[in-house]
Amino acid sequence: VSTKDLDMRPIVSAGQAIQGKAAGVSVIQPNGTPGGEMSIRVRGTTSMNGSNDPLYVVDGVPVDNIKFLSPNDIESIEVLKDASSTAIYGSRGANGVIIVTTKKGKSGKTSVAFDAYWGIQNIYKKYDLLDSRSFEKLANEALVNSGGAAIYDESLTPATTDWQDLTSNKNALTQNYQLTVSGGNDKTTFLTSFNYFNQEGVIKASEMKKYAFRANIDHKISSTINLGLSLTMTKVDNNRVGNSVLQSRLTTPPNLPVMQDDGSYTFSDNNGVITFDNPVGVINEKVDWHTNFRSLNNAFVEWNIIKGLKFKSSFGIDIDYEIGRAS
């Protein structure tokens, strides 16, 4: 998968770059959370208990995923599927290997490139749910049929609360901006990039922000010895909306108001029969921010011994940690 394939469409994550572009590779997004990681299967599902994820190699450094990479920084992606091509990676390559090569600078005048795109997401169709009158009628029937007594006065017409509408983000904005500076001379080339990505979810309060910096530097000490350094630093802020909201926005009775007369959120009906998570209250009052920091660094020295024979030694360090803030 080359740069030409990547530049033809607005790709949110590095995993999407392979989607539909590599034969025999399955790429799906398991959930719709903003910035959700793609599930990539090179050889299908081979284990019921173990991991089925392929091994990722970024500029020679093995990593567990490539979601921290900006798609604009990728030069090419190569997928290794058969046993002979993955043999050098041992058992780690049992599920296939995905090799990612990032862009590097070229000698000549310094060039500056700015890439930007934005888009809007929305829910195409909501679930068809009962209004308050229909809900109360069916609830009374269920209670009577089970030997109880009806609790709702069907002569009244209660207001209907559309929980789906109240928790949906009508126009969820996705935006991406990247500034790339590259250049160099016959001995030294460089490329640096700064990326900002922001994706709002179609469920209110869900959001992902990513800040990324990348630098690639190559230097020729002599006609036979080359040095290289690559550096990637990423910070991802993600506000997650739990499954309780996704479920309660569909199951909360439509005859319940969002707020009580005293200004508090409704968390059970007037008779105390139903207890539920008020989806609007959860979205407005609960915070579940997670911040991930990732730093991937790689340095190498390459010696051209004779024509057709090279010796290359590299050293890489991968730092990855996450902190959460919930209330």
Side-chain angles (χ1 to χ4, degrees):
V1 183
S2 65
T3 305
K4 182 179 179 181
D5 297 316
L6 304 180
D7 293 340
M8 293 300 293
R9 51 195 175 127
I11 300 172
V12 173
S13 65
Q16 282 186 332
I18 316 173
Q19 196 169 32
K21 294 295 182 179
V25 179
S26 172
V27 182
I28 61 173
Q29 187 171 357
N31 59 68
T33 58
E37 187 175 353
M38 306 298 290
S39 174
I40 302 176
R41 297 290 180 263
V42 175
R43 293 178 174 171
T45 301
T46 59
S47 173
M48 296 297 293
N49 299 318
S51 173
N52 292 286
D53 294 330
L55 171 68
Y56 300 96
V57 180
V58 179
D59 290 334
V61 181
V63 294
D64 57 347
N65 63 71
I66 54 175
K67 65 179 181 180
F68 63 94
L69 283 177
S70 169
N72 299 82
D73 288 329
I74 297 175
E75 179 69 28
S76 65
I77 300 176
E78 184 178 1
V79 181
L80 308 182
K81 294 189 290 185
D82 58 88
S84 60
S85 62
T86 62
I88 62 172
Y89 297 100
S91 60
R92 293 183 301 173
N95 295 321
V97 180
I98 295 179
I99 300 176
V100 179
T101 302
T102 59
K103 295 178 180 178
K104 295 185 177 182
K106 298 178 181 179
S107 59
K109 292 182 179 181
T110 300
S111 68
V112 180
F114 180 73
D115 297 282
Y117 74 80
W118 65 272
I120 293 176
Q121 302 176 100
N122 52 51
I123 296 177
Y124 176 71
K125 186 180 185 301
K126 297 190 300 182
Y127 286 96
D128 293 326
L129 302 179
L130 297 174
D131 59 15
S132 292
R133 178 183 286 271
S134 300
F135 171 80
E136 291 186 353
K137 180 179 180 180
L138 288 178
N140 283 339
E141 287 184 14
L143 290 170
V144 171
N145 290 339
S146 61
I151 61 174
Y152 296 114
D153 185 354
E154 296 183 27
S155 64
L156 302 177
T157 305
T160 297
T161 302
D162 190 337
W163 296 102
Q164 291 186 89
D165 188 65
L166 292 173
T167 55
S168 297
N169 199 350
K170 297 295 190 302
N171 293 305
L173 181 65
T174 298
Q175 51 188 325
N176 182 77
Y177 307 97
Q178 175 148 333
L179 176 67
T180 303
V181 181
S182 62
N185 50 41
D186 294 338
K187 286 189 173 294
T188 305
T189 58
F190 72 93
L191 182 145
T192 58
S193 67
F194 306 86
N195 177 260
Y196 170 72
F197 174 78
N198 176 243
Q199 182 180 21
E200 298 176 348
V202 293
I203 303 299
K204 286 183 177 180
S206 61
E207 184 179 11
M208 191 272 277
K209 297 178 180 179
K210 182 171 71 173
Y211 311 85
F213 168 77
R214 182 164 186 83
N216 277 344
I217 302 173
D218 292 278
H219 178 68
K220 291 182 179 180
I221 295 181
S222 65
S223 59
T224 59
I225 299 179
N226 301 325
L227 298 178
L229 173 68
S230 64
L231 169 68
T232 301
M233 291 186 294
T234 307
K235 177 190 176 187
V236 177
D237 295 323
N238 199 332
N239 190 24
R240 305 170 182 174
V241 175
N243 290 329
S244 63
V245 172
L246 300 179
Q247 181 178 357
S248 61
R249 68 196 296 264
L250 302 177
T251 58
T252 299
N255 63 334
L256 298 181
V258 177
M259 310 289 292
Q260 293 293 305
D261 294 336
D262 59 2
S264 63
Y265 287 102
T266 303
F267 280 98
S268 63
D269 71 354
N270 295 329
N271 295 282
V273 176
I274 303 172
T275 301
F276 69 100
D277 286 329
N278 185 318
V280 176
V282 172
I283 286 177
N284 292 340
E285 301 299 328
K286 290 189 177 181
V287 175
D288 193 15
W289 279 101
H290 292 256
T291 300
N292 177 267
F293 298 91
R294 187 79 177 260
S295 179
L296 180 66
N297 311 288
N298 179 37
F300 73 87
V301 56
E302 185 179 76
W303 176 26
N304 296 292
I305 303 175
I306 58 176
K307 185 178 181 179
L309 178 61
K310 296 180 180 180
F311 172 81
K312 183 177 182 180
S313 180
S314 63
F315 174 79
I317 181 171
D318 183 12
I319 303 172
D320 184 13
Y321 66 95
E322 182 176 291
I323 57 176
R325 177 170 57 91
S327 64

